[in-house]
Amino acid sequence: MTTPPPALLIAGHGTRDDAGAEAFRDFVRKLQLRLTDVPVAGGFIELSPPPLGDAVAGMVARGVRRFAAVPLMLVSAGHAKGDIPAALAREKERHPGISYTYGRPLGPHPALLRVLERRLEEALEGTAADRSDVTVLLVGRGSTDPDANAEVFKAARLLWEGRGYAGVETAFVSLAAPDVPSGLERSARLGARRIVVLPYFLFTGILPDRVRQQTREWAAAHPEVEVRSADVIGPEPELLDLVLERYEEAVKGDLRMNCDSCVYRIALPGFEDKVGLPQQPHFHPDDDGTGHGHHHHHGGHAHSHAH
């Protein structure tokens, strides 16, 4: 008798926004339609039903014993690093005999960068704007965790690379600086005359609404700058595919670190020729061993990307 594959448990932030919570629940239903032979359930850490514990209890009642949990989050902040593992550990105590593996947060994956690029194009429809005239302000949730905030800057840089925008600046809607007005101010000081504010959020909710409102208020006070708001990522096919990819990784234990945006694995705009290149040890000009009486290789990139 073959062991059934682990169930997929989706862990969400939670939101006070009914439409946002429903968007999450609807996304979980879409995942179940895609994964016909695997039970799928989703729950929230806080603020909205169902809580993660209820999602686990419901699956345990159906006979599920093995789970792969995927955080439906763009960055690894306190929720992904602490709250979800703590909640899963608590469920393990409540339901002896269950086991789980834990997947990675979603971003900044090239598939999501493609959706963000699409959102920017939609926001610019009807203008004759050249990308080189457009400054993007990517707005993240914001966290007290510096690593999580740095991930948003990484997403901004990856979005900028090879796509031809004048620049991609970064701001946050809560808990971290710069806030949205400061990010817009900075963009204007850098000479931006056309700005698209791009929310780095999966679904609609209180915080994306706040980004849009603050953008409107700043734009009204600065009529000399053209400011547009782009939409959130939303339940796109790329997001479904990515969650399933994270599920497969968790099931197989293939939790690679930052290979999602590695130019040797993924065709990133402007760097397509690097995919699959074998990696050679290389010399660093400032570390070439001269003066030590011997010459040595710097063994960078010892791991092969060329799968």
Side-chain angles (χ1 to χ4, degrees):
M1 183 178 148
T2 56
T3 315
L8 170 56
L9 177 65
I10 301 291
H13 272 284
T15 172
R16 288 189 181 84
D17 181 72
D18 290 341
E22 184 50 41
F24 172 90
R25 291 188 288 262
D26 188 54
F27 185 75
V28 171
R29 289 191 284 270
K30 285 190 170 80
L31 281 166
Q32 183 65 86
L33 292 173
R34 286 278 292 271
L35 275 179
T36 48
D37 55 343
V38 173
V40 179
F44 294 106
I45 290 298
E46 60 184 3
L47 302 175
S48 40
L52 201 59
D54 286 9
V56 173
M59 291 228 257
V60 169
R62 288 161 61 186
V64 172
R65 290 292 171 268
R66 293 165 64 235
F67 296 86
V70 174
L72 199 68
M73 295 169 191
L74 289 166
V75 300
S76 191
H79 281 318
K81 289 179 180 177
D83 297 336
I84 298 170
L88 293 171
R90 187 178 64 231
E91 295 312 312
K92 209 161 180 272
E93 283 178 18
R94 282 183 185 160
H95 308 283
I98 71 167
S99 64
Y100 65 87
T101 54
Y102 187 37
R104 294 192 289 157
L106 305 173
H109 192 281
L112 295 184
L113 296 172
R114 282 198 301 276
V115 179
L116 291 172
E117 188 175 11
R118 205 154 68 228
R119 295 288 176 257
L120 288 171
E121 291 303 309
E122 290 163 1
L124 289 166
E125 267 172 32
T127 72
D130 192 76
R131 281 188 180 196
S132 59
D133 295 330
V134 174
T135 297
V136 178
L137 182 64
L138 185 72
V139 182
R141 175 178 291 268
S143 169
T144 52
D145 180 337
D147 180 44
N149 296 332
E151 282 287 307
V152 182
F153 275 82
K154 180 175 180 179
R157 179 71 203 190
L158 285 166
L159 184 63
W160 182 80
E161 289 277 358
R163 286 185 175 85
Y165 298 109
V168 180
E169 293 296 314
T170 310
F172 300 96
V173 73
S174 64
L175 299 173
D179 61 12
V180 175
S182 302
L184 286 161
E185 197 66 46
R186 173 182 164 83
S187 300
R189 284 187 177 187
L190 289 169
R193 285 285 161 268
R194 179 174 277 126
I195 303 171
V196 179
V197 177
L198 177 63
Y200 194 45
F201 284 83
L202 292 174
F203 303 127
T204 183
I206 303 263
L207 293 179
D209 286 349
R210 190 179 298 164
V211 174
R212 199 170 272 267
Q213 180 60 32
Q214 291 177 351
T215 299
R216 247 196 317 265
E217 288 167 5
W218 189 91
H222 298 80
E224 73 284 3
V225 184
E226 183 191 327
V227 186
R228 290 176 174 238
S229 282
D231 279 334
V232 294
I233 290 168
E236 295 293 288
E238 289 95 336
L239 184 59
L240 282 162
D241 291 342
L242 177 54
V243 171
L244 297 179
E245 189 179 310
R246 291 288 183 254
Y247 167 75
E248 292 292 336
E249 282 178 357
V251 169
K252 293 176 180 152
D254 175 27
L255 296 184
R256 299 186 307 245
M257 288 315 288
N258 70 338
C259 294
D260 281 338
S261 49
C262 167
V263 289
Y264 301 106
R265 282 185 190 274
I266 304 289
L268 294 179
F271 299 89
E272 291 87 354
D273 58 330
K274 288 189 183 285
V275 175
L277 278 185
Q279 296 303 292
Q280 305 297 332
H282 54 278
F283 297 106
H284 279 227
D286 55 352
D287 183 25
D288 63 1
T290 52
H292 299 286
H294 64 275
H295 211 72
H296 64 276
H297 278 286
H298 174 80
H301 292 296
H303 59 297
S304 171
H305 286 273
H307 292 345

